[in-house]
Coordinates of all heavy atoms in Angstrom, one line a residue:
M1 N 152.3 98.7 74.0 CA 151.4 98.8 75.1 C 152.2 98.9 76.4 O 153.2 98.2 76.5 CB 150.5 97.5 75.1 CG 149.2 97.7 75.8 SD 148.1 96.3 75.8 CE 147.9 95.8 74.1
P2 N 151.8 99.7 77.3 CA 152.5 99.9 78.6 C 152.6 98.6 79.4 O 151.7 97.8 79.4 CB 151.8 101.0 79.4 CG 150.9 101.7 78.3 CD 150.7 100.6 77.3
H3 N 153.7 98.4 80.1 CA 153.9 97.3 81.0 C 153.8 97.7 82.5 O 154.4 98.7 82.8 CB 155.3 96.7 80.8 CG 155.5 95.4 81.4 ND1 155.1 94.2 80.8 CD2 156.0 95.0 82.6 CE1 155.4 93.2 81.6 NE2 156.0 93.6 82.7
Y4 N 153.0 97.1 83.2 CA 152.7 97.4 84.6 C 153.1 96.3 85.6 O 153.0 95.1 85.2 CB 151.2 97.8 84.8 CG 150.8 98.9 84.0 CD1 150.1 98.7 82.8 CD2 151.0 100.2 84.5 CE1 149.6 99.8 82.1 CE2 150.5 101.3 83.7 CZ 149.9 101.1 82.5 OH 149.4 102.2 81.8
L5 N 153.4 96.6 86.8 CA 153.7 95.7 87.9 C 152.7 96.0 89.0 O 152.4 97.2 89.3 CB 155.1 95.8 88.4 CG 156.2 95.6 87.4 CD1 157.5 96.0 88.0 CD2 156.2 94.2 86.8
L6 N 152.2 95.0 89.7 CA 151.4 95.2 90.9 C 152.1 94.7 92.1 O 152.7 93.6 92.2 CB 150.1 94.3 90.7 CG 149.2 94.7 89.6 CD1 148.0 93.7 89.6 CD2 148.7 96.1 89.6
H7 N 152.2 95.6 93.1 CA 152.9 95.3 94.4 C 151.8 95.4 95.5 O 151.2 96.4 95.7 CB 154.0 96.3 94.7 CG 155.0 96.4 93.6 ND1 155.6 95.3 93.0 CD2 155.5 97.5 92.9 CE1 156.4 95.7 92.0 NE2 156.4 97.0 92.0
L8 N 151.6 94.2 96.1 CA 150.6 94.1 97.1 C 151.2 94.3 98.5 O 152.2 93.8 98.8 CB 150.0 92.7 97.1 CG 148.9 92.4 98.0 CD1 147.7 91.8 97.3 CD2 149.3 91.5 99.1
H9 N 150.5 95.1 99.3 CA 150.9 95.5 100.6 C 149.7 95.2 101.6 O 148.7 95.8 101.4 CB 151.4 96.9 100.7 CG 152.4 97.3 99.7 ND1 153.7 97.1 99.9 CD2 152.2 97.9 98.5 CE1 154.4 97.5 98.8 NE2 153.5 98.1 98.0
D10 N 149.9 94.4 102.6 CA 148.9 94.2 103.6 C 149.6 94.2 104.9 O 150.8 94.4 105.1 CB 148.0 93.0 103.3 CG 148.7 91.7 103.5 OD1 149.8 91.6 104.1 OD2 148.2 90.7 103.0
T11 N 148.8 93.9 106.0 CA 149.4 94.0 107.3 C 150.4 92.8 107.7 O 151.1 92.9 108.7 CB 148.2 94.0 108.4 OG1 147.5 92.8 108.2 CG2 147.4 95.2 108.2
Q12 N 150.4 91.8 106.8 CA 151.3 90.7 107.1 C 152.5 90.6 106.3 O 153.6 90.1 106.7 CB 150.5 89.4 107.0 CG 149.4 89.2 108.0 CD 148.6 87.9 107.8 OE1 149.0 87.0 107.1 NE2 147.5 87.8 108.6
F13 N 152.4 91.1 105.0 CA 153.6 91.0 104.1 C 153.4 92.0 103.0 O 152.4 92.5 102.7 CB 153.8 89.6 103.6 CG 152.5 89.0 102.9 CD1 152.4 89.2 101.6 CD2 151.6 88.3 103.6 CE1 151.2 88.7 100.9 CE2 150.5 87.8 103.0 CZ 150.3 88.0 101.6
D14 N 154.5 92.2 102.3 CA 154.6 92.9 101.0 C 155.0 91.9 99.9 O 156.0 91.2 100.1 CB 155.6 94.1 101.1 CG 155.2 95.1 102.1 OD1 154.0 95.4 102.2 OD2 156.1 95.6 102.8
T15 N 154.3 91.9 98.8 CA 154.6 91.1 97.7 C 154.9 91.9 96.5 O 154.0 92.7 96.0 CB 153.4 90.1 97.4 OG1 153.2 89.3 98.5 CG2 153.8 89.2 96.2
Y16 N 156.1 91.8 95.9 CA 156.5 92.6 94.8 C 156.5 91.8 93.5 O 157.2 90.8 93.4 CB 157.9 93.3 95.0 CG 157.9 94.2 96.1 CD1 158.1 93.8 97.4 CD2 157.6 95.6 95.9 CE1 158.1 94.8 98.5 CE2 157.6 96.5 96.9 CZ 157.8 96.1 98.2 OH 157.8 97.0 99.2
N17 N 155.6 92.1 92.6 CA 155.5 91.4 91.3 C 156.6 91.8 90.4 O 156.9 93.0 90.2 CB 154.1 91.8 90.7 CG 153.9 91.1 89.4 OD1 154.1 91.8 88.4 ND2 153.6 89.9 89.4
E18 N 157.3 90.8 89.8 CA 158.4 91.1 88.9 C 158.1 90.8 87.5 O 158.8 91.2 86.6 CB 159.6 90.3 89.4 CG 160.1 90.7 90.7 CD 161.4 90.0 91.2 OE1 162.0 89.3 90.3 OE2 161.7 90.1 92.4
E19 N 157.0 90.0 87.2 CA 156.6 89.7 85.8 C 155.8 90.8 85.2 O 156.0 91.3 84.1 CB 155.9 88.4 85.8 CG 156.8 87.2 86.0 CD 156.0 85.9 85.9 OE1 155.0 85.9 85.1 OE2 156.3 84.9 86.6
G20 N 154.7 91.2 85.9 CA 153.8 92.2 85.4 C 152.9 91.8 84.3 O 152.8 90.6 84.0
F21 N 152.4 92.8 83.6 CA 151.4 92.6 82.6 C 151.3 93.8 81.7 O 151.7 94.9 82.1 CB 150.0 92.2 83.1 CG 149.5 93.4 84.0 CD1 148.6 94.3 83.4 CD2 149.8 93.5 85.3 CE1 148.2 95.4 84.2 CE2 149.3 94.5 86.1 CZ 148.5 95.5 85.5
E22 N 150.8 93.6 80.5 CA 150.6 94.7 79.6 C 149.1 95.1 79.6 O 148.3 94.2 79.7 CB 151.1 94.4 78.2 CG 152.6 94.2 78.1 CD 153.0 94.0 76.7 OE1 152.2 93.7 75.8 OE2 154.2 94.0 76.5
A23 N 148.9 96.4 79.6 CA 147.5 96.9 79.5 C 147.5 98.1 78.6 O 148.5 98.8 78.5 CB 147.0 97.2 80.9
P24 N 146.4 98.4 78.0 CA 146.3 99.5 77.0 C 146.5 100.9 77.7 O 147.1 101.8 77.1 CB 145.0 99.4 76.4 CG 144.2 98.5 77.2 CD 145.2 97.6 77.9
D25 N 146.1 101.0 79.0 CA 146.3 102.3 79.7 C 146.1 102.0 81.2 O 145.9 100.9 81.7 CB 145.2 103.3 79.2 CG 143.8 102.7 79.3 OD1 143.5 101.9 80.2 OD2 143.0 103.2 78.5
L26 N 146.3 103.1 82.0 CA 146.2 103.0 83.4 C 144.9 102.6 83.9 O 144.7 101.9 84.9 CB 146.7 104.3 84.1 CG 146.8 104.3 85.6 CD1 147.8 103.3 86.1 CD2 147.3 105.7 86.0
A27 N 143.8 103.0 83.2 CA 142.4 102.6 83.6 C 142.3 101.1 83.6 O 141.7 100.5 84.5 CB 141.4 103.3 82.7
A28 N 142.8 100.5 82.5 CA 142.8 99.0 82.4 C 143.6 98.4 83.5 O 143.2 97.3 84.1 CB 143.2 98.6 81.0
A29 N 144.8 98.9 83.8 CA 145.6 98.4 84.9 C 144.9 98.5 86.2 O 145.1 97.6 87.0 CB 147.0 99.2 84.9
R30 N 144.1 99.5 86.4 CA 143.4 99.7 87.7 C 142.4 98.5 87.8 O 142.2 98.0 88.9 CB 142.7 101.0 87.8 CG 143.6 102.2 88.1 CD 142.8 103.4 88.2 NE 143.6 104.6 88.4 CZ 143.8 105.6 87.5 NH1 143.2 105.5 86.4 NH2 144.7 106.5 87.8
L31 N 141.7 98.2 86.7 CA 140.7 97.1 86.8 C 141.5 95.7 87.1 O 140.9 94.9 87.8 CB 140.0 97.0 85.4 CG 139.0 98.0 85.2 CD1 138.4 97.9 83.8 CD2 137.9 98.0 86.2
I32 N 142.6 95.5 86.5 CA 143.4 94.3 86.8 C 143.8 94.3 88.3 O 143.8 93.3 88.9 CB 144.6 94.2 85.8 CG1 144.0 94.0 84.4 CG2 145.5 93.1 86.3 CD1 145.1 94.1 83.3
A33 N 144.2 95.5 88.8 CA 144.6 95.6 90.2 C 143.4 95.2 91.1 O 143.6 94.5 92.1 CB 145.1 97.0 90.5
K34 N 142.3 95.8 90.8 CA 141.1 95.5 91.6 C 140.7 94.0 91.5 O 140.4 93.4 92.5 CB 139.9 96.3 91.1 CG 140.0 97.7 91.5 CD 138.7 98.5 91.1 CE 138.8 100.0 91.6 NZ 137.6 100.7 91.2
S35 N 140.9 93.4 90.4 CA 140.7 91.9 90.2 C 141.6 91.2 91.1 O 141.3 90.2 91.7 CB 140.8 91.5 88.8 OG 140.7 90.1 88.6
S36 N 142.9 91.6 91.2 CA 143.8 91.0 92.1 C 143.4 91.1 93.6 O 143.5 90.2 94.4 CB 145.2 91.6 92.0 OG 145.7 91.4 90.7
I37 N 142.8 92.3 94.0 CA 142.3 92.5 95.3 C 141.2 91.5 95.5 O 141.1 90.9 96.6 CB 141.9 93.9 95.5 CG1 143.1 94.8 95.5 CG2 141.1 94.1 96.9 CD1 142.8 96.3 95.5
W38 N 140.3 91.3 94.6 CA 139.2 90.4 94.7 C 139.7 89.0 94.9 O 139.1 88.2 95.7 CB 138.2 90.5 93.5 CG 137.6 91.8 93.3 CD1 137.4 92.8 94.2 CD2 137.2 92.4 92.0 NE1 136.8 93.9 93.6 CE2 136.7 93.7 92.3 CE3 137.3 91.9 90.7 CZ2 136.3 94.5 91.2 CZ3 136.8 92.7 89.7 CH2 136.3 94.0 89.9
D39 N 140.7 88.6 94.3 CA 141.3 87.3 94.5 C 141.8 87.1 95.9 O 141.7 86.1 96.5 CB 142.5 87.0 93.5 CG 142.0 86.9 92.0 OD1 140.8 86.6 91.8 OD2 142.8 87.0 91.1
V40 N 142.5 88.1 96.4 CA 143.0 88.1 97.8 C 141.8 87.9 98.7 O 141.9 87.0 99.7 CB 143.8 89.3 98.2 CG1 144.0 89.4 99.7 CG2 145.1 89.4 97.4
F41 N 140.7 88.6 98.5 CA 139.6 88.5 99.4 C 138.8 87.2 99.3 O 138.2 86.7 100.2 CB 138.7 89.7 99.2 CG 139.1 90.9 100.1 CD1 140.3 91.6 99.8 CD2 138.3 91.3 101.2 CE1 140.7 92.6 100.6 CE2 138.7 92.4 101.9 CZ 139.9 93.0 101.7
A42 N 138.9 86.6 98.1 CA 138.3 85.3 97.9 C 139.0 84.3 98.8 O 138.3 83.5 99.5 CB 138.3 84.8 96.5
E43 N 140.3 84.4 98.9 CA 141.0 83.5 99.8 C 140.7 83.8 101.3 O 140.6 82.9 102.1 CB 142.5 83.6 99.5 CG 143.0 83.1 98.2 CD 142.9 81.5 98.2 OE1 143.1 80.9 99.2 OE2 142.5 81.1 97.1
E44 N 140.7 85.1 101.6 CA 140.4 85.5 103.0 C 139.0 85.1 103.4 O 138.8 84.7 104.5 CB 140.6 87.0 103.2 CG 142.0 87.4 103.2 CD 142.2 88.9 103.6 OE1 141.2 89.6 103.7 OE2 143.3 89.3 103.7
A45 N 138.0 85.1 102.5 CA 136.7 84.8 102.8 C 136.6 83.3 103.2 O 135.8 82.9 104.1 CB 135.7 85.1 101.6
L46 N 137.4 82.4 102.6 CA 137.4 81.0 103.0 C 137.8 80.8 104.5 O 137.5 79.8 105.1 CB 138.4 80.2 102.1 CG 137.9 80.1 100.6 CD1 139.0 79.5 99.8 CD2 136.6 79.4 100.5
R47 N 138.6 81.8 105.0 CA 139.0 81.8 106.4 C 138.1 82.7 107.3 O 138.5 82.9 108.4 CB 140.5 82.2 106.5 CG 141.4 81.2 105.8 CD 142.9 81.5 106.1 NE 143.3 82.9 105.7 CZ 143.7 83.2 104.5 NH1 143.7 82.4 103.5 NH2 144.0 84.5 104.2
S48 N 137.0 83.2 106.7 CA 136.1 84.1 107.4 C 136.8 85.3 108.0 O 136.5 85.8 109.1 CB 135.4 83.3 108.6 OG 134.7 82.2 108.1
K49 N 137.7 85.9 107.2 CA 138.4 87.0 107.7 C 138.6 88.0 106.4 O 139.2 87.6 105.4 CB 139.8 86.7 108.2 CG 140.7 87.8 108.6 CD 142.1 87.4 108.9 CE 142.9 87.8 107.7 NZ 144.4 87.6 107.9
L50 N 138.2 89.2 106.6 CA 138.4 90.2 105.5 C 139.1 91.4 106.1 O 138.6 92.1 107.0 CB 137.1 90.7 104.9 CG 136.2 89.6 104.3 CD1 134.9 90.2 103.8 CD2 137.0 88.9 103.1
D51 N 140.3 91.6 105.7 CA 141.2 92.7 106.2 C 141.4 93.8 105.2 O 142.0 93.6 104.2 CB 142.5 92.1 106.7 CG 143.4 93.1 107.4 OD1 143.1 94.3 107.3 OD2 144.4 92.7 108.0
F52 N 140.7 94.9 105.4 CA 140.7 96.0 104.4 C 141.9 97.0 104.5 O 141.9 98.0 103.9 CB 139.4 96.8 104.5 CG 138.2 96.0 103.9 CD1 137.5 95.2 104.7 CD2 137.9 96.1 102.6 CE1 136.4 94.5 104.2 CE2 136.8 95.4 102.1 CZ 136.0 94.6 102.9
R53 N 142.8 96.7 105.4 CA 143.9 97.6 105.6 C 145.0 97.7 104.6 O 145.9 98.5 104.7 CB 144.5 97.3 107.0 CG 143.5 97.6 108.1 CD 144.1 97.2 109.5 NE 144.2 95.7 109.5 CZ 144.7 95.1 110.6 NH1 145.2 95.7 111.6 NH2 144.8 93.7 110.6
G54 N 145.0 96.8 103.6 CA 146.1 96.8 102.6 C 145.8 97.6 101.4 O 144.8 98.3 101.3
Y55 N 146.7 97.6 100.4 CA 146.6 98.3 99.2 C 147.5 97.7 98.1 O 148.4 96.9 98.4 CB 147.0 99.8 99.4 CG 148.4 100.0 99.8 CD1 149.4 100.3 98.9 CD2 148.8 100.0 101.2 CE1 150.7 100.5 99.3 CE2 150.1 100.1 101.6 CZ 151.0 100.4 100.6 OH 152.3 100.6 101.0
I56 N 147.3 98.0 96.9 CA 148.1 97.6 95.8 C 148.6 98.8 95.1 O 147.9 99.7 94.8 CB 147.3 96.7 94.8 CG1 147.1 95.3 95.3 CG2 148.0 96.6 93.4 CD1 146.4 94.3 94.4
D57 N 149.9 98.8 94.8 CA 150.6 99.8 94.0 C 150.6 99.3 92.6 O 151.0 98.2 92.3 CB 152.0 100.1 94.5 CG 152.1 100.9 95.8 OD1 151.2 101.6 96.0 OD2 153.1 100.7 96.5
I58 N 150.4 100.2 91.6 CA 150.6 100.0 90.2 C 151.8 100.7 89.8 O 151.9 101.9 90.0 CB 149.4 100.5 89.4 CG1 148.1 99.8 89.8 CG2 149.6 100.2 87.9 CD1 146.8 100.4 89.2
A59 N 152.8 100.0 89.4 CA 154.1 100.6 89.1 C 154.7 100.2 87.8 O 154.1 99.3 87.1 CB 155.1 100.2 90.2
D60 N 155.8 100.8 87.4 CA 156.5 100.3 86.2 C 157.8 99.6 86.6 O 158.1 99.6 87.8 CB 156.8 101.5 85.2 CG 157.7 102.5 85.7 OD1 158.4 102.3 86.8 OD2 157.8 103.6 85.1
A61 N 158.6 99.1 85.7 CA 159.8 98.4 86.0 C 160.9 99.2 86.7 O 161.8 98.7 87.3 CB 160.4 97.7 84.7
N62 N 160.8 100.6 86.5 CA 161.7 101.5 87.1 C 161.3 101.8 88.6 O 162.0 102.6 89.2 CB 161.9 102.7 86.3 CG 162.4 102.4 84.9 OD1 163.3 101.6 84.8 ND2 161.9 103.1 83.9
G63 N 160.2 101.3 89.1 CA 159.8 101.6 90.4 C 158.9 102.8 90.5 O 158.4 103.1 91.6
R64 N 158.6 103.4 89.4 CA 157.7 104.6 89.5 C 156.2 104.1 89.7 O 155.7 103.2 89.0 CB 157.7 105.3 88.1 CG 156.8 106.5 88.1 CD 157.0 107.3 86.9 NE 155.7 107.7 86.4 CZ 155.4 108.1 85.2 NH1 156.4 108.1 84.3 NH2 154.2 108.4 84.8
I65 N 155.6 104.6 90.8 CA 154.2 104.2 91.2 C 153.3 105.2 90.5 O 153.3 106.4 90.7 CB 154.1 104.2 92.7 CG1 155.0 103.2 93.3 CG2 152.6 104.0 93.1 CD1 155.1 103.2 94.8
F66 N 152.4 104.6 89.7 CA 151.3 105.4 89.0 C 150.1 105.6 89.8 O 149.4 106.6 89.7 CB 151.0 104.7 87.7 CG 152.1 104.6 86.7 CD1 152.7 103.3 86.5 CD2 152.5 105.7 86.0 CE1 153.8 103.2 85.6 CE2 153.6 105.6 85.1 CZ 154.2 104.4 84.9
D67 N 149.8 104.6 90.7 CA 148.6 104.7 91.5 C 148.6 103.7 92.6 O 149.4 102.7 92.5 CB 147.3 104.3 90.6 CG 146.0 104.9 91.2 OD1 146.0 105.5 92.3 OD2 145.0 104.6 90.6
S68 N 147.9 103.9 93.7 CA 147.8 103.0 94.8 C 146.3 102.8 95.0 O 145.5 103.8 95.1 CB 148.4 103.6 96.1 OG 149.8 103.6 96.0
I69 N 145.9 101.6 95.1 CA 144.4 101.3 95.3 C 144.3 100.6 96.7 O 144.7 99.5 96.9 CB 143.9 100.4 94.2 CG1 144.1 101.1 92.9 CG2 142.4 100.1 94.5 CD1 143.7 100.2 91.7
P70 N 143.6 101.3 97.6 CA 143.3 100.7 98.9 C 142.3 99.5 98.7 O 141.5 99.6 97.8 CB 142.7 101.8 99.8 CG 143.1 103.1 99.1 CD 143.2 102.7 97.6
F71 N 142.5 98.5 99.5 CA 141.6 97.3 99.3 C 140.2 97.8 99.4 O 139.3 97.3 98.6 CB 141.9 96.3 100.4 CG 143.1 95.5 100.2 CD1 143.5 94.6 101.2 CD2 144.0 95.7 99.1 CE1 144.7 93.8 101.1 CE2 145.1 94.9 99.0 CZ 145.5 94.0 99.9
K72 N 139.8 98.7 100.3 CA 138.4 99.0 100.5 C 137.8 99.7 99.3 O 136.6 99.6 99.0 CB 138.3 100.0 101.7 CG 139.0 101.3 101.6 CD 138.8 102.2 102.8 CE 139.4 103.5 102.6 NZ 139.0 104.3 101.5
D73 N 138.7 100.3 98.4 CA 138.2 101.0 97.2 C 137.9 100.0 96.1 O 137.3 100.4 95.1 CB 139.2 102.0 96.7 CG 139.3 103.2 97.6 OD1 138.5 103.3 98.6 OD2 140.2 104.0 97.3
A74 N 138.1 98.7 96.3 CA 137.8 97.7 95.3 C 136.4 97.1 95.4 O 136.0 96.3 94.7 CB 138.9 96.6 95.3
F75 N 135.7 97.6 96.5 CA 134.4 97.0 96.8 C 133.4 98.1 97.1 O 133.7 99.2 97.5 CB 134.5 96.2 98.1 CG 135.4 95.0 98.0 CD1 136.8 95.2 98.4 CD2 135.0 93.8 97.5 CE1 137.6 94.1 98.2 CE2 135.9 92.7 97.4 CZ 137.2 92.9 97.8
T76 N 132.1 97.7 96.8 CA 131.0 98.5 97.3 C 130.4 97.7 98.5 O 130.0 96.5 98.3 CB 129.9 98.6 96.2 OG1 130.5 99.3 95.1 CG2 128.7 99.4 96.7
I77 N 130.4 98.2 99.7 CA 130.0 97.5 100.9 C 128.6 98.0 101.3 O 128.4 99.2 101.5 CB 131.0 97.8 102.0 CG1 132.4 97.3 101.6 CG2 130.6 97.0 103.3 CD1 133.5 97.7 102.5
L78 N 127.7 97.1 101.4 CA 126.3 97.4 101.7 C 126.0 96.7 103.0 O 126.5 95.7 103.4 CB 125.4 96.8 100.6 CG 125.7 97.3 99.2 CD1 124.9 96.5 98.2 CD2 125.5 98.8 99.0
G79 N 125.0 97.3 103.7 CA 124.4 96.7 104.9 C 125.2 96.7 106.2 O 124.9 96.0 107.1
L80 N 126.2 97.6 106.3 CA 127.0 97.6 107.5 C 126.3 98.6 108.5 O 125.9 99.6 108.1 CB 128.4 98.0 107.3 CG 129.3 96.9 106.6 CD1 130.7 97.4 106.4 CD2 129.3 95.6 107.4

């Protein structure tokens, strides 16, 4: 099974994951990345602040980036 790393980039800091996770394919890795974004926003919601300017890179141990997911693409936003 492929091994992926998630690297979070937002306006305040960059966090590079060194442990990573295994997923059957890139589609599954994308779902895990979106779940990580949801976790970030759960913390931000507690502070009444949602900053959509960041993104998560899905990479391998060699630094090859397979995909980048902007925070805004992890949500369906209604009523704005």
